[in-house]
Each structure stands twice: as structure tokens, then as C-alpha cells.
Amino acid sequence: KGPSSTAPRLPYNAFASESGVEIRVGRRASDNDLLSCDFRYRDGADWWLHAAGCPGSHVVIRSHDDNLPANDGDAVRDAACLAALFSKAIAKPPPGREHEASGRASVSLTRARHVSKPPGAKPGLVALKGDVTTIRVDLGAEGKRLKRLMATKDVVK
């Protein structure tokens, strides 16, 4: 039996946008807290997304581009689709068939520095301040995007 080389478990799954930008998706509520509020996993200048008004994974785009929505709208759309897919806003398809997801969701987008954990809040619950933009996502029209994104899962680290 050889030496064990297991790396510590990360609180997120990593995906890559078409332009190569890393997109991190929280695994569960306690992981969302780490991804959203712990500087080991995000910078204040990164971008943060979450399906509005329902439970779901927190998503971080690892980019400090102040004008990311205009400069790399596809990366933002990729992350918004992942936020919708890994939320209770839509019925989740079986593993391996994520590209067949359908449903519509509103996704909140803000800088990670505008996300904070209220004292005593349940795991996964955060407060947003500052500028928050809403992105509307129709997963039924995003099958190719979802298939491409799922093929990049955990390839980026």
C-alpha cells in the first residue's frame, strides 16, 4: 500500500468559463459560508452570485475585472446558469443530464466584498449590501452551455 496523497476537501466544485475564468460553486450550506466569507476561497474583488429568493449554492467568479459583466458576459452567464442549476429554483435533472435542465430563475450578482454573514445566521445565509444586479436565466435555452460547463467540473484547481 502506497502513501496517501489525499488533499484536503475543498468547500466548492470548480468549473471553467469558455474564456478560462474559474467559477467556484459551493457544495452545501456550511461550504457556502466558507466560499462566500473566507478569504482563503475568495477575494473581495471577486464576483458573487446566488439564485434569488431560494436555497442554493453560492457561486464565485474568480475575477477582479471591475467591468466583468461587459468585458466577459459569457463568464457571468456561465456562473448565473450554475447558480440556477444548483439551487431549488429549478427541478434538478439526474447526474450526467444537467444539460437537460429547464426552468427559469433570477440570480443575484454582486462583488464578494458586499457579502457578509449576519451574527447567529443559519449556515448558508448571508446578507448583501451595495450594488446587486439581477440576471434572468432560462436553463431550457442553455443546454449547450451547461454541457460545456459540466465537462470542466473540477478540472480547474
Side-chain angles (χ1 to χ4, degrees), residues 6-150:
T6 57
R9 180 187 169 280
L10 294 173
Y12 60 85
N13 288 309
F15 297 84
S17 72
E18 194 162 27
S19 61
V21 175
E22 182 181 3
I23 300 170
R24 296 178 174 181
V25 179
R27 294 174 183 254
R28 56 179 161 238
S30 57
D31 293 336
N32 284 339
D33 286 347
L34 290 172
L35 179 60
S36 297
C37 301
D38 189 321
F39 290 101
R40 291 176 295 172
Y41 305 111
R42 64 94 174 153
D43 294 327
D46 288 342
W47 292 86
W48 182 93
L49 299 92
H50 185 273
C54 65
S57 291
H58 297 191
V59 176
V60 170
I61 304 172
R62 297 288 291 168
S63 173
H64 292 185
D65 183 344
D66 287 333
N67 204 13
L68 185 69
N71 293 338
D72 195 353
D74 279 335
V76 173
R77 174 66 56 187
D78 286 350
C81 286
L82 290 168
L85 180 65
F86 293 104
S87 75
K88 302 275 184 181
I90 59 126
K92 193 163 181 188
R97 298 179 61 184
E98 290 86 354
H99 61 282
E100 296 177 9
S102 64
R104 293 188 171 126
S106 294
V107 176
S108 298
L109 168 72
T110 191
R111 297 309 280 268
R113 66 177 157 260
H114 297 304
V115 179
S116 62
K117 181 83 179 159
K122 294 190 287 188
L125 185 66
V126 295
L128 305 181
K129 63 178 181 174
D131 293 330
V132 179
T133 303
T134 300
I135 301 167
R136 308 233 186 275
V137 176
D138 179 359
L139 289 182
E142 300 288 0
K144 286 183 181 177
R145 181 183 305 271
L146 291 171
K147 194 168 199 169
R148 176 181 49 76
L149 285 166
M150 296 312 292

